[in-house]
Amino acid sequence: MGQHCAGMAKRARARRADAVGAIMPSAMNDQRFESVLAELRAVVGPAGWIDDPAAMAPYVEEQRGRYRGAAVAVIAPASTDEVSRVLAHCNAARLGVVPQGGNTGLCGGAVAGADQVILSLRRMNRIRALDARNRTLTAEAGCILAELQRAAAEAGRLFPLSLAAEGSCQIGGNLATNAGGTNALRYGVARDLALGLEVVLADGTVWNGLSTLKKDNTGYDLRDLFVGSEGTLGVITAATLRLFPQPGDVQTALLAVGDIDDALAVLDRLQQASDGRVNACELMSDRSVAFATRHVAGCRAPFATLPPWMLLVEVSGGRTVDELRPLFEATLAEALEAGELLDAALAESQAQAQAFWRLRESIPEAQKHEGGSIKHDVSVPVSAVPEFLRRAGAAVESALPGARVCPFGHLGDGNIHFNVSQPQGADRETFLGEWERCNRIVHDIVAELGGSFSAEHGIGRLKRGELLRYKPAVAVEAMRRIKQALDPNGILNPGALL
């Protein structure tokens, strides 16, 4: 093992120049470094240790391609006890640890440096308990989101968190980044779906806060401290999650809208008529839909001519199939009569509903085929969405002539993915060089409207500068103090968020 670890130490030293945020003190000599690595490998065993560069590639490559990290090794503990022991060793050695779930993040939040280790939670994938009557499910951090959805459904319950990456993202990462998704309008974001957490602190101490209680008013809510902290304060190893009744009926429709103000009027009408049972209200511009139908097989719009805007709406509830259908049809008919809708296509089957969702979920992939794209994940008050779209669209098109604004997203909670595709025929890298200038234009407008420059993707490494620019100084200082208190040696996800 000594020779093996010595080789890793040399490789780590050689990679240091390309590191992202490496923090390991140079005072740690190779012999001590080798000893630490040997201790870590002994904790997790061969099944939990990866140091082959080819095998490590999926863990060090960020999916958007904006960041490429490096790491000494990928460590995959199989239990909370192993996570505790790994962190205790790393903390004592001042060795940086980057926690990682499914590595589906979009802000470089799980990118490691050459003198750091990646802590993968993939082997901690057990459902520890499911209490259908209490409507709770306790799962380890490495559980795939889609698997939790299935487990809840088999028990006659619903776990509503739903993301495009649900087939590969892990619940620990969802909570660490406070993921949003398409059902946030009705059920809330990841924070709202967690009753309790189990967390390992930087020094290896384990906090067991896996409460199944709906009410527990006993001081500071530590759960909320760790949700959204992006692995910088502790490693989430398990969570107790809220479940909901499984709806008997789900109605889905694609709606053609001429104006964004009309889209809000339709949403309000549906919310009122259904007693707040609108799960999702997704907004798509004509350009975003055109990209999807052009580049993604199987994507079609149900209208002869693309309207300026389309809404994908979903309403659920009741006990039997089609129970909500008459209400849904009547409400949309009223919207048509009031001139709020140009046309409507109601899903006649589950397959058609899935086709509607495929159109919405294919937009990010389709945009890649149109060249470089500058991304914005912003939120504003729902009532301010029309003003934001008009102002931001005009400002970006004025500053970047020929740029193609491609907005879509979660109208129901004010979260818009305001993406900007390069002008046709433009040089990709030259256009992407305008990233910061474009961000400034869009984020300044968002700030003026009382919004957020990061609605659901978090900060990671991508948006640290934006955090300092837009977050009140007192809030940033409070965050730094919390970080110092819980991770005084700065080993947890160094370089992320702060």
Side-chain angles (χ1 to χ4, degrees):
M1 185 179 291
Q3 276 189 326
H4 180 68
C5 291
M8 286 192 293
K10 290 177 181 176
R11 290 200 301 272
R13 300 283 188 247
R15 290 194 300 261
R16 178 174 289 163
D18 298 323
V20 179
I23 66 159
M24 195 190 77
S26 58
M28 187 190 298
N29 59 36
D30 284 350
Q31 184 176 4
R32 176 60 183 136
F33 192 34
E34 295 162 21
S35 175
V36 172
L37 296 180
E39 291 166 350
L40 294 173
R41 193 173 192 277
V43 170
V44 297
W49 185 268
I50 302 173
D51 58 24
D52 174 71
M56 289 170 58
Y59 299 89
V60 300
E61 295 174 357
E62 189 254 355
Q63 67 165 284
R64 271 186 180 170
R66 288 183 59 85
Y67 297 91
R68 176 173 175 82
V72 178
V74 176
I75 302 174
S79 67
T80 301
D81 178 66
E82 289 186 4
V83 174
S84 171
R85 291 158 61 195
V86 165
L87 289 187
H89 283 305
C90 291
N91 190 58
R94 309 297 197 267
L95 178 60
V97 180
V98 177
Q100 191 176 102
N103 198 24
T104 60
L106 300 176
C107 293
V111 180
D115 284 335
Q116 299 167 3
V117 294
I118 292 172
L119 185 72
S120 170
L121 281 299
R122 61 179 175 79
R123 295 176 68 206
M124 294 188 62
N125 56 10
R126 292 174 290 275
I127 294 176
R128 296 183 183 177
L130 196 160
D131 186 338
R133 287 192 173 181
N134 197 47
R135 295 179 184 171
T136 57
L137 182 156
T138 300
E140 293 180 339
C143 287
I144 301 297
L145 176 56
E147 294 174 358
L148 297 184
Q149 295 168 345
R150 283 192 290 271
E154 289 170 1
R157 297 291 183 261
L158 171 72
F159 182 57
L161 186 63
S162 182
L163 316 170
E166 62 193 29
S168 55
C169 64
Q170 298 171 10
I171 191 61
N174 298 150
L175 291 166
T177 57
N178 192 26
T182 55
N183 287 334
L185 168 60
R186 181 170 178 182
Y187 296 102
V189 296
R191 183 186 306 279
D192 303 305
L193 300 174
L195 289 173
L197 300 177
E198 177 186 82
V199 179
V200 182
L201 304 183
D203 64 359
T205 303
V206 179
W207 171 57
N208 186 342
L210 290 173
S211 173
T212 60
L213 300 175
K214 303 294 192 298
K215 293 182 176 180
D216 182 3
N217 194 8
T218 54
Y220 299 142
D221 193 337
L222 299 182
R223 170 202 59 179
D224 275 355
L225 189 61
F226 294 105
V227 174
S229 67
E230 302 189 33
T232 61
L233 302 179
V235 177
I236 297 172
T237 50
T240 298
L241 307 166
R242 298 178 63 195
L243 303 181
F244 296 81
Q246 188 72 255
D249 186 28
V250 179
Q251 295 293 329
T252 309
L254 267 180
L255 310 177
V257 184
D259 183 84
I260 193 65
D261 289 296
D262 288 337
L264 284 184
V266 172
L267 171 59
D268 186 61
R269 187 184 292 276
L270 283 168
Q271 287 281 53
Q272 291 287 343
S274 67
D275 294 325
R277 290 184 287 183
V278 180
N279 296 345
C281 182
E282 297 293 295
L283 179 71
M284 299 174 280
S285 66
D286 52 358
R287 178 173 283 135
S288 66
V289 174
F291 285 175
T293 56
R294 183 182 307 160
H295 297 295
V296 180
C299 282
R300 294 185 202 65
F303 308 114
T305 302
L306 284 183
W309 299 97
M310 287 172 57
L311 287 181
L312 172 56
V313 295
E314 183 179 277
V315 178
S316 72
R319 297 182 179 179
T320 59
V321 175
D322 285 339
E323 182 175 328
L324 294 178
R325 186 76 174 197
L327 174 68
F328 199 44
E329 291 178 340
T331 305
L332 294 180
E334 292 171 1
L336 280 165
E337 186 175 350
E340 297 162 355
L341 287 181
L342 301 176
D343 204 349
L346 280 66
E348 300 295 339
S349 64
Q350 185 176 6
Q352 192 172 17
Q354 290 172 344
F356 289 171
W357 275 106
R358 177 174 172 76
L359 183 63
R360 159 63 181 87
E361 291 168 352
S362 296
I363 293 172
E365 175 62 30
Q367 238 192 324
K368 296 177 183 178
H369 297 276
E370 294 290 332
S373 177
I374 298 174
K375 315 285 188 181
H376 306 87
D377 165 43
V378 301
S379 62
V380 295
V382 173
S383 58
V385 170
E387 181 181 354
F388 163 70
L389 288 171
R390 293 178 184 124
R391 287 181 59 187
V396 168
E397 289 171 354
S398 175
L400 302 174
R404 295 170 292 166
V405 176
C406 183
F408 62 96
H410 319 300
L411 177 64
D413 53 39
N415 176 196
I416 303 298
H417 300 298
F418 190 84
N419 293 353
V420 183
S421 286
Q422 70 179 56
Q424 290 181 316
D427 177 73
R428 182 178 187 275
E429 296 307 317
T430 300
F431 176 72
L432 293 180
E434 300 284 358
W435 191 291
E436 290 188 9
R437 184 161 74 103
C438 190
N439 280 179
R440 187 68 58 247
I441 293 168
V442 174
H443 292 163
D444 280 353
I445 294 172
V446 167
E448 290 172 17
L449 295 174
S452 169
F453 66 88
S454 182
E456 64 178 355
H457 292 163
I459 303 299
R461 287 160 179 78
L462 179 65
K463 300 179 182 179
R464 291 175 302 181
E466 302 299 89
L467 183 75
L468 295 177
R469 182 179 181 89
Y470 295 104
K471 199 83 168 174
V474 65
V476 175
E477 178 58 24
M479 291 167 66
R480 292 191 187 281
R481 292 183 185 183
I482 293 169
K483 170 71 170 175
Q484 176 63 28
L486 292 178
D487 181 21
N489 293 326
I491 71 161
L492 289 176
N493 210 359
L497 207 157
L498 292 171

